[in-house]
Amino acid sequence: MAVVKHQGRAFAAAAAVAAATVAGALGAGQAQAAPIGVQQLPATAIVANGPADWSVFTAFIQIHTSDKRGWVVLTAPSGDCGRYGVANALVRLDYTNLTTGARGSGTVNPCGGHAMPPTSARLHTGSGQIVGSITIPTAGAWAIPGGASFSVG
């Protein structure tokens, strides 16, 4: 019986060392971004590369937690990046924190690309209830703004 306990402890210790090594290699000790639920009405626009090359683009946003309290990460991923005009479209969120009164904005490029804003933006919203408008500034007059609401812990 003593041998079984000894082997069990040795196995448990080896397993703990292995798990710690794997966790360290994968960065398990760092906080991971988690999605925040967003109630939203997406922005919609006609985006174009020219008079004959145009598409309807609907911009949904996603908000994720950040490594700092009161900060979030804004993205606006799109599966339409191969459509006319969408690859050059930008999505902007102008927000107000109803709890603190803080205001700000962030602009992202859903499709990526050089010489464009990045596909994500860190925003210092502060903790509280956030409301904002979603726009597609590259669409000009052919756009209908959307709205969003989410809570930051």
Side-chain angles (χ1 to χ4, degrees), residues 14-40:
V17 169
T21 302
V22 170
L26 296 177
Q30 299 174 0
Q32 300 295 320
I36 296 174
V38 178
Q39 299 295 319
Q40 65 184 298

Side-chain angles (χ1 to χ4, degrees), residues 4-103:
V4 173
K5 280 186 176 179
H6 184 268
Q7 287 176 343
R9 286 186 198 148
F11 178 76
V17 169
T21 302
V22 170
L26 296 177
Q30 299 174 0
Q32 300 295 320
I36 296 174
V38 178
Q39 299 295 319
Q40 65 184 298
L41 177 65
T44 304
I46 296 175
V47 292
N49 280 336
D53 296 335
W54 57 272
S55 293
V56 174
F57 174 51
T58 301
F60 291 90
I61 64 166
Q62 291 182 349
I63 301 291
H64 289 78
T65 59
S66 182
D67 57 344
K68 293 184 179 179
R69 184 174 173 85
W71 287 79
V72 297
V73 177
L74 165 70
T75 61
S78 174
D80 294 333
C81 291
R83 294 176 60 200
Y84 297 116
V86 176
N88 297 322
L90 300 178
V91 177
R92 178 181 172 108
L93 173 67
D94 293 297
Y95 66 86
T96 300
N97 183 324
L98 296 177
T99 308
T100 66
R103 297 171 186 253

Side-chain angles (χ1 to χ4, degrees), residues 131-151:
V131 296
S133 63
I134 305 167
T135 57
I136 305 170
T138 49
W142 299 96
I144 300 170
S149 176
F150 55 94
S151 184

